[in-house]
Amino acid sequence: MSAHTLSLRHRIRRGALITALATCMGAALVSCSDGAGPAAEQSVASPAADAPLARLAQQAADTGSLGVIVRVDSGDGKPVEIARQAAWTKDDHRLAADDRFRVGSNTKTVTATLVLQQVAENKISLDDTVEEWLPGLVESGEDITVRMLLNHTSGLGDFLLTPEFLPSLTGQEKRTWTPQELLAITPGQDPPAEPGEKYSYSNANYEALGLILEKATGSSLTELIKEKITGPLGMKDSYLATNGDWDTAETTEKQHVTGYEPDAERLRAILSGTVDLPEGVGFAGPERSGDNIDTSAIDPSWSWAAGGMVSTARDWQTFLTALNSGELLPMAQMKQMRTTVNAPEEGGGYGLGLMKVDTACGTVWGHTGGLPGYSSEIYTDASGRRSVAVLTSTNFGIKEEKAATANKALVEAASCQMLGEPQPSDNPAG
């Protein structure tokens, strides 16, 4: 997410395979789609008004995004909801705009909100050290503060970069990881950085924050999310995943989106020039059309406070709108959350669990998310009254050049429509 690209999902960062795989967490293709059925044609606003956005969504789906959900709320009470997909994916799942989706690292904004609520109640201080809360669990914890965990300046690397964890990320190994185990295999940054020295995105930061929250409150993270966020906001389709069994998780009649990734050969080609991927290394799951793998069964529970939530476009926009309009945090904590460090790889800056992204049409606030088979970008304007969500049913698949271009055009157009600005002049459907 150019310097103003909307998501880190469109980049392969830091020049290593496992680093590239880290973008899965807070980025000759399929055949063109035929006419979509009713579920894939959802649109609430005027057909003429959102036709260009719908065309971009279908173009993105056919070019490699595979499945796309777009929801734009311009604050006028008439949200646009669009669901488009490549034709062959309909055999797995007829996509609808209100389907449940793994929102990945967008979860970090919820975790940060919960921490800042405790800060407002003087139960946690941003200047508390990790060692005070989690003695002996994090290397150099006596020099790392809660604030550094929140804005990714802790100096910690990412457990995603380790050979111990890679088989679980790709689904080749079925193992239940605890946050403590993940922190135990977390390396320092490469090259090394002192706590507070520089921004470097790490899921380990939020695993530690989840443990601090549970210790400070005496409640589980699942309970805190229900009590402080999803319950009060009426987010009935949002929950923290504890396994990969979507049929027996907290269920409603809502479907769960099927996610896909390129097979081992395509993945190797995508990463060619960045890293030499060992032959045969790829995601586990059933083979699908266009050299894709169905990754829906890969267990995301390891991502926990860093990326474990399942939601819908509407539910997550409800959360972000409440947050950025001041409903969930006092003004002092909202100001702290929006105090950013420079994070050009995210398209702007990173606050306390909140990204500031400079788009072609203005600044937006929110986060990105990614897990195997799922990527998302969800933002509001500064007031929180306008919001946009773009959910895509692949992560590495949109790193191929044509797919990345089409997906970027869609996100830019949706963001501009949310902000009430004309689509970018170079937009193919503008």
Side-chain angles (χ1 to χ4, degrees), residues 282-362:
F283 292 98
E287 296 180 358
R288 290 294 185 261
S289 178
D291 299 324
N292 288 288
I293 300 294
D294 178 348
T295 59
S296 304
I298 294 179
D299 184 354
S301 62
W302 58 268
S303 56
W304 195 51
M309 286 200 70
V310 173
S311 189
T312 64
R314 180 175 183 174
D315 259 14
W316 209 263
Q317 286 174 280
T318 295
F319 161 63
L320 270 190
T321 294
L323 175 64
N324 283 306
S325 63
E327 184 177 338
L328 296 177
L329 291 174
M331 186 179 299
Q333 278 66 53
M334 198 67 233
K335 182 177 180 181
Q336 291 168 334
M337 189 176 232
R338 287 189 174 182
T339 300
T340 63
V341 295
N342 190 36
E345 57 263 58
E346 318 303 357
Y350 199 98
L352 305 186
L354 195 66
M355 290 179 180
K356 177 185 178 183
V357 180
D358 300 319
T359 78
C361 293

Side-chain angles (χ1 to χ4, degrees), residues 17-307:
L17 160 64
I18 312 176
T19 305
L21 289 172
T23 63
C24 282
M25 279 293 300
L29 300 179
V30 298
S31 60
C32 290
S33 172
D34 59 10
E41 290 288 352
Q42 288 193 4
S43 183
V44 175
S46 161
D50 56 297
L53 202 58
R55 287 197 298 272
L56 280 173
Q58 188 65 64
Q59 179 180 336
D62 292 336
T63 308
S65 294
L66 303 185
V68 176
I69 293 172
V70 182
R71 192 174 192 274
V72 179
D73 188 342
S74 299
D76 58 3
K78 299 177 181 179
V80 173
E81 293 181 318
I82 296 168
R84 293 290 188 272
Q85 64 191 120
W88 65 265
T89 65
K90 296 175 189 176
D91 291 337
D92 287 334
H93 170 208
R94 287 270 176 166
L95 198 64
D98 62 352
D99 282 347
R100 286 177 164 185
F101 193 93
R102 298 176 213 183
V103 296
S105 286
N106 285 284
T107 305
K108 290 181 173 68
T109 309
V110 164
T111 300
T113 301
L114 293 170
V115 170
L116 288 168
Q117 287 176 341
Q118 297 304 306
V119 170
E121 296 177 13
N122 296 314
K123 295 180 179 178
I124 297 175
S125 168
L126 292 177
D127 295 322
D128 287 346
T129 68
V130 175
E131 185 65 17
E132 291 176 65
W133 285 103
L134 308 174
L137 197 57
V138 176
E139 188 173 352
S140 301
E142 67 277 5
D143 298 318
I144 300 171
T145 65
V146 170
R147 188 192 309 272
M148 293 174 192
L149 294 176
L150 286 163
N151 66 13
H152 297 292
T153 61
S154 66
L156 294 176
D158 205 313
F159 52 81
L160 293 180
L161 313 182
T162 63
E164 297 98 322
F165 184 74
L166 181 57
S168 296
L169 178 64
T170 60
Q172 300 291 345
E173 178 183 68
K174 296 185 184 300
R175 172 177 172 178
T176 300
W177 289 86
T178 66
Q180 292 88 343
E181 289 171 336
L182 293 172
L183 289 170
I185 64 170
T186 296
Q189 287 179 23
D190 184 17
E194 294 297 319
E197 183 179 342
K198 68 175 184 177
Y199 171 86
S200 182
Y201 192 91
S202 170
N203 293 291
N205 292 322
Y206 278 74
E207 298 288 323
L209 286 166
L211 292 174
I212 290 172
L213 270 171
E214 292 193 334
K215 191 167 185 179
T217 63
S219 298
S220 71
L221 183 61
T222 296
E223 292 169 338
L224 288 170
I225 290 170
K226 288 180 181 179
E227 178 187 348
K228 303 287 189 179
I229 307 292
T230 59
L233 296 179
M235 296 168 62
K236 296 181 179 179
D237 292 304
S238 303
Y239 62 93
L240 189 68
T242 57
N243 55 52
D245 188 351
W246 309 111
D247 294 330
T248 58
E250 297 182 21
T251 57
T252 66
E253 295 181 356
K254 299 290 177 67
Q255 297 185 94
H256 188 285
V257 172
T258 301
Y260 306 93
E261 290 297 354
D263 66 9
E265 186 175 346
R266 273 185 64 210
L267 186 63
R268 194 166 189 265
I270 289 170
L271 297 177
S272 176
T274 302
V275 65
D276 291 328
L277 182 64
E279 197 73 39
V281 171
F283 292 98
E287 296 180 358
R288 290 294 185 261
S289 178
D291 299 324
N292 288 288
I293 300 294
D294 178 348
T295 59
S296 304
I298 294 179
D299 184 354
S301 62
W302 58 268
S303 56
W304 195 51

Side-chain angles (χ1 to χ4, degrees), residues 1 5-10 106 357 367-369 375-379 388-392 398 407-408 411 415:
M1 307 169 290
T5 305
L6 288 176
S7 171
L8 59 84
R9 295 187 286 101
H10 299 137
N106 285 284
V357 180
H367 214 286
T368 61
S375 56
S376 51
E377 300 187 48
I378 312 175
Y379 307 114
V388 61
V390 179
L391 315 180
T392 307
I398 55 171
N407 187 268
K408 179 176 181 289
V411 175
S415 298

